[in-house]
Every structure is written in structure tokens, then in C-alpha cells.
Amino acid sequence: MFENLKYDIKNIRNIDPAAKSNIEVFLLYPSIHAISIYRIANGLFKRKFFFFARLLSQIGRLFTGIEIHPGAAIGKGLFIDHGMGVVIGETAIIGDNVTIYHQVTLGGTGKNSGKRHPTIEDNVIIGAGAKVLGNITIAKGTKIGGNTVVLMDSYKNSTVVGVAGVMKCNGKPCTFSQCGTKTEDMKYL
């Protein structure tokens, strides 16, 4: 756990130019507090102490404004910048070195059971207010714009903005199946 904490602090120092020292990040960044509480709650959750895991996660939410379900799977280097209002659902999977801004939801659509939250691969950036919903995969290196609603998988190193389900292929609206171009030419509107 301490190795992850050291890595998380170092990652925040690398990303955030406002971070002046490790002690400042450790004491003053809600992201570090929320992730540390999550890691303890996740350990309890894995040992089937569900009530205590949820209780601890709710205490963490009370103090940080960041709600992380203890059943979520989170890699190292997660940075939740200005984290107030962030929600990460129970079956969400988050890879390494992911940055999430405030008011982001990694949630379900209410239609599924089992795996119902998104998988976020490594080095993804999710802009403020974005909603990533359902059992979808956001591929490595994807950047999701602020206030974007994402309901479909993304391609590696893509940029996703606007209303989900509407993409552009060579300047014209299309669907995944209609677009015969390179994935770099595909963008959400």
C-alpha cells in the first residue's frame, strides 16, 4: 500500500504544476485521501467485510466529496483533480496513470447486472463533468472532453467529445459499422 501511495504522490507532482511538495500533496490533496481510504475499504471488501468496506467508503465520501465504491478495481497513479462530485461505481476498472477531473461519473446505465460500469485503460484523461456509463472500455491514451456523455467503447489514443453515439467519419456522421476509415479519422461529434 505504501508503494502505491508513494507512486500516487509522485504522479500528482508530475501532472499538477500547483503541487509544490510531497508533504503538501499528502496532507492537502483530497485525491490522495480518497484513494488511500479506497485501498483500505477495497481490502475489507475483498475479505467480504462488505458493511465495513461501504461504511469506510461513505466516510471517505463525506470528507473528500469523492465516492469510490470499495468493489472497484483501481491501478496506481490515479489522480482525481478537484475531485468534488466524482463517482466511481462498484464494477468499474481503472488502469494506471488515469486523470479524472471533478463531477465525473463512471457509472452504470441501470439496465445490466454483473459488470455494469466502465473499464478505463492506462493513461486516460477524463474531463470535468463527463459521464462514462455502462460496461464499455475506454482504450489507452483516450482523452474525454468535459461534459461528454460516453456510452460506447473508444479507440486507443482517441479524443471523445460531445453527445455519445454520434461520431464523425471523414466529416460526416456515421456509426462504427458504417465507417470504413482509419480509427484516427473517427470522432464523436
Side-chain angles (χ1 to χ4, degrees), residues 37-163:
I37 292 167
Y38 154 78
R39 294 201 192 285
I40 296 166
N42 181 255
L44 291 169
F45 193 85
K46 288 177 179 177
R47 289 169 183 77
K48 304 200 183 308
F49 292 108
F50 301 122
F51 176 80
F52 294 110
R54 289 299 307 269
L55 178 64
L56 188 56
S57 74
Q58 292 304 301
I59 291 169
R61 180 181 68 113
L62 178 69
F63 285 107
T64 65
I66 300 168
E67 184 173 341
I68 306 174
H69 193 286
I74 299 176
K76 61 185 180 180
L78 174 63
F79 179 31
I80 303 172
D81 198 8
H82 305 286
M84 188 61 71
V86 169
V87 178
I88 299 173
E90 177 182 16
T91 61
I93 299 170
I94 301 175
D96 295 338
N97 304 314
V98 171
T99 300
I100 297 175
Y101 289 92
H102 59 283
Q103 297 293 323
V104 167
T105 299
L106 304 180
T109 61
K111 301 175 185 175
N112 303 330
S113 59
K115 174 79 166 97
R116 57 194 187 280
H117 299 98
T119 297
I120 310 298
E121 293 184 348
D122 299 344
N123 304 309
V124 170
I125 298 172
I126 304 175
K131 309 301 178 220
V132 184
L133 305 174
N135 183 12
I136 61 174
T137 299
I138 304 303
K140 291 180 182 182
T142 297
K143 293 174 181 67
I144 298 175
N147 295 315
T148 299
V149 178
V150 184
L151 301 171
M152 299 185 319
D153 294 346
S154 75
Y155 290 105
K156 185 177 177 183
N157 299 317
S158 62
T159 299
V160 180
V161 294
V163 179

Side-chain angles (χ1 to χ4, degrees), residues 1-14:
M1 180 166 149
F2 291 109
E3 289 302 314
N4 280 338
L5 179 62
K6 284 170 48 178
Y7 185 92
D8 292 342
I9 290 170
K10 181 180 177 190
N11 188 51
I12 290 172
R13 292 280 315 275
N14 289 336

